[in-house]
Amino acid sequence: MKTITLDIEKTRGMVTKEHIVAQESKAQECNALLHSGKGAGSDFLGWVHLPSSITEDSLVEIERAAIQLRKKCKIVVVIGIGGSYLGARAVLEAVNNSFDLLQTEREDPVILYAGQNIGEDYLFELSAVLKGKQFGLINISKSGTTTEPAIAFRILKKQLEEAVGKEEARTRIIAVTDARRGALRTLATQEGYTTFVIPDNVGGRFSVLTPVGLLPIAVAGVSVRDLVKGAADMEKATATGVPFAQNLAAIYAVVRNELYLRGKKIEILANFHPKLHYIAEWWKQLYGESEGKEGKGIFPASVDLTTDLHSMGQWIQDGERSIFETVISVESPSHKVVVPSDANDLDGLNYLAGRRVDEVNKMAELGTCMAHVEGNAPNIKITLPEISPYYIGQLFYFFEKACGISGYMLGVNPFDQPGVETYKKNMFTLLKKPGY
Ligand code: PA5
C-alpha cells in the first residue's frame, strides 16, 4: 500500500532546513509526551493508540448494528454536532457519489444529518421529508447534554414513535454516548436502545475512529475496516521510534509552527476536489478547538478550489500576507472524463480536446500553487494517492497526530475547549434554563 506524502519545499522561502532542524528535538519530545501521557490533557489521549487497538469483536458489533438499521431503514438521520458528526460526514461526502441523494436505485440508506444547527426551517424541512419514509436515528453525543442534538432528537424521536409505534421505534434508534454519564445514557437505558460507548479518554474531535464515526460510516455501506487500517498504518508511521525525517506528522507540526512564528497566522486548507469539503470542516474543528486558546493559535480556514479562486482567490493572492496554504492533492481520481472535440470550437477549447479533466485540474493546482507562493503565501502539499477509506484513515490519523504535537509545541493543552462554554452560558441564561 502507498502512503500519503508531505511536500514542504514551497515553504522554503520562509522556513529553512536550519529552522526545521532546530525544532526537531522539541517535536520529538512532544510526540513522546503524547505516547507517555505526561503532557497537558493526558486524560484525553485514548486516540493515540486507538486505530491499532480496535478489536475484531468491536468491528463486528458495529457492522451487525449497521446491518440491522440498513434492513429497516431507507433513511438514517445521524444526529450530532462538532466531533460527534464531522468525521462521519467527512468520510461519506468524500467516498460517496457526489449526487448520492439523487440515486434512486440504491442498496444503501440515504444518510441525512441533524443536530448540527438549531435552524427551525432545517428541522421543519427534514421532518417533512421523513414523513411516510422508513427512517431510523443514530443519536451521538458524548456529554449527552448538548442542546443542538438534544432538540433534534426530541423532535425526530417523537415523529418516529408516532409513525411506527414506540416498540418499533426502539429498534430503529441507536445511541452513541458515554458509558455511564449524561442524559442520553439515562434515556437510552430507560428506552432500551442499542448503544455504543465513546471512551472517556477520547475527546469529540478525536473520536472519528470510535463508534461516533464508524457506526454511521458502516450504516452507509462504506468499509470501516479500510478506514481503520489506514489509520493504524499511519499510527505506526508516526510512532515515537520513527526518525523525525520520516515522521510526516512531526514535520507538518514543525513547519506550521515555524510559519506561525513568522507571522503566518492563518492556515488555509485547500482542495481541488469538492468531495473533500467536509474533510476540511473536520480539520477546522480539530485544529481550531485544539490550538485556539490563551490568545494563541493559527486560524484554520478552508477553500474549495478552483471554485473559490473565483471568490477568495483575490484575497489569497493579494490580501494581507498573514496566510499560508496547505493543499490536499489527489494523485488519481476514481473516474475518467475527457474533454470532447467540437467542430466549431466557438469556446476555443479544442486545444484541450482528448485530454482528461483531471489534467486541467492538476495544471490549475500547479498554477495556483506557483502564483500563491510567488505572492508570499507559502505552500504545504499533502498528496493522497486516491480518495478512498484507507487513505482517509491515514489522513485522519496524520492530522490528529500532527495536531497533538503542534499544540504541545505551541504551549497549549490541545485536548480541552474551555472557550466553547461561553456562548452556552449566555444562551442558557437568555433562555432562562433552570440554574442559569
Ligand atoms: O470536540 C469536542 O469535544 C466538541 O466539538 C464536541 O464534539 C461537540 O461539542 C459535541 O459534543 P457532544 O458529543 O458532547 O454532544
Side-chain angles (χ1 to χ4, degrees):
M1 272 296 185
K2 289 184 180 174
T3 171
I4 63 172
T5 58
L6 177 73
D7 182 352
I8 55 164
E9 281 309 308
K10 301 282 185 311
T11 63
R12 287 291 184 225
M14 199 163 241
V15 182
T16 64
K17 281 197 175 128
E18 291 69 35
H19 292 139
I20 295 176
V21 169
Q23 294 302 326
E24 181 179 326
S25 58
K26 186 170 176 192
Q28 293 291 64
E29 277 163 30
C30 292
N31 194 18
L33 280 180
L34 294 171
H35 285 260
S36 66
K38 290 186 179 147
S42 55
D43 288 348
F44 292 97
L45 291 171
W47 60 272
V48 174
H49 297 291
L50 180 64
S52 61
S53 52
I54 295 173
T55 61
E56 174 63 21
D57 284 357
S58 62
L59 287 176
V60 168
E61 202 191 334
I62 285 170
E63 286 165 343
R64 271 207 198 116
I67 290 169
Q68 287 309 316
L69 216 50
R70 284 166 63 88
K71 271 193 199 145
K72 287 176 176 263
C73 307
K74 297 261 178 259
I75 300 178
V76 174
V77 185
V78 176
I79 302 173
I81 193 166
S84 287
Y85 130 88
L86 283 164
R89 188 159 195 179
V91 174
L92 297 182
E93 302 270 337
V95 303
N96 278 346
N97 186 300
S98 303
F99 307 98
D100 190 46
L101 292 180
L102 295 178
Q103 304 209 94
T104 42
E105 307 219 331
R106 51 185 313 136
E107 278 175 31
D108 304 316
V110 168
I111 305 293
L112 299 178
Y113 302 91
Q116 81 283 29
N117 62 59
I118 332 176
E120 187 161 338
D121 287 344
Y122 185 95
L123 277 167
F124 178 89
E125 287 161 15
L126 174 62
S127 170
V129 104
L130 293 173
K131 274 198 191 110
K133 309 267 180 14
Q134 297 298 330
F135 74 95
L137 306 173
I138 303 178
N139 190 14
I140 309 172
S141 177
K142 185 168 189 210
S143 62
T145 55
T146 307
T147 310
E148 290 90 337
I151 289 175
F153 183 62
R154 185 182 273 219
I155 291 167
L156 297 177
K157 170 182 182 277
K158 181 166 181 279
Q159 179 172 349
L160 183 59
E161 287 175 350
E162 283 171 2
V164 298
K166 247 184 157 244
E167 278 309 308
E168 176 60 20
R170 237 173 239 150
T171 68
R172 298 186 190 191
I173 295 175
I174 300 181
V176 183
T177 190
D178 186 89
R180 293 168 297 277
R181 288 181 296 261
L184 180 53
R185 171 56 58 190
T186 312
L187 185 71
T189 309
Q190 195 177 300
E191 301 280 351
Y193 299 149
T194 298
T195 60
F196 286 88
V197 170
I198 310 172
D200 276 349
N201 59 358
V202 181
R205 57 191 174 275
F206 289 84
S207 69
V208 58
L209 297 164
T210 70
V212 168
L214 299 185
L215 180 66
I217 292 167
V219 169
V222 172
S223 167
V224 289
R225 288 170 188 271
D226 290 353
L227 186 79
V228 169
K229 171 87 176 81
D233 286 350
M234 188 51 72
E235 180 189 327
K236 257 190 232 143
T238 59
T240 37
V242 176
F244 175 78
Q246 289 162 29
N247 188 333
L248 303 188
I251 298 170
Y252 174 58
V254 165
V255 173
R256 60 195 299 285
N257 269 288
E258 285 296 301
L259 288 166
Y260 179 61
L261 290 173
R262 286 168 179 75
K264 299 299 190 186
K265 307 286 185 198
I266 302 167
E267 178 174 8
I268 302 178
L269 192 74
N271 69 72
F272 283 78
H273 289 268
K275 283 167 164 281
L276 299 179
H277 175 84
Y278 272 92
I279 295 277
E281 296 303 310
W282 172 86
W283 171 88
K284 284 193 283 193
Q285 190 216 357
L286 181 66
Y287 281 81
E289 280 192 351
S290 300
E291 294 195 316
K293 49 196 73 159
E294 298 171 34
K296 297 193 266 192
I298 293 172
F299 181 81
S302 67
V303 286
D304 298 324
L305 303 180
T306 61
T307 312
D308 291 334
L309 289 176
H310 299 261
S311 64
M312 295 300 288
Q314 171 60 36
W315 197 100
I316 296 172
Q317 187 67 44
D318 246 357
E320 191 186 75
R321 295 299 74 192
S322 49
I323 56 163
F324 68 98
E325 209 168 19
T326 298
V327 173
I328 302 185
S329 184
V330 178
E331 221 166 86
S332 311
S334 311
H335 305 287
K336 188 174 172 184
V337 179
V338 167
V339 180
S341 171
D342 184 273
N344 295 323
D345 195 27
L346 289 179
D347 52 13
L349 277 185
N350 269 357
Y351 78 104
L352 293 175
R355 288 153 80 177
R356 285 185 68 172
V357 171
D358 191 55
E359 184 186 341
V360 182
N361 202 27
K362 288 264 172 16
M363 290 310 113
E365 183 181 321
L366 186 58
T368 304
C369 167
M370 286 157 65
H372 291 174
V373 172
E374 244 166 64
N376 192 17
N379 184 288
I380 298 173
K381 181 164 141 179
I382 297 163
T383 303
L384 299 187
E386 62 187 22
I387 300 175
S388 66
Y390 175 77
Y391 291 113
I392 293 173
Q394 283 197 11
L395 189 69
F396 277 152
Y397 192 87
F398 159 78
F399 274 138
E400 288 180 356
K401 194 53 162 322
C403 184
I405 298 173
S406 184
Y408 280 168
M409 293 189 76
L410 184 67
V412 298
N413 174 358
F415 308 112
D416 65 1
Q417 54 284 330
V420 299
E421 294 311 313
T422 318
Y423 98 89
K424 291 183 191 168
K425 277 187 200 137
N426 289 344
M427 178 177 77
F428 293 147
T429 308
L430 291 165
L431 288 169
K432 303 191 171 37
K433 181 174 176 172
Y436 284 81

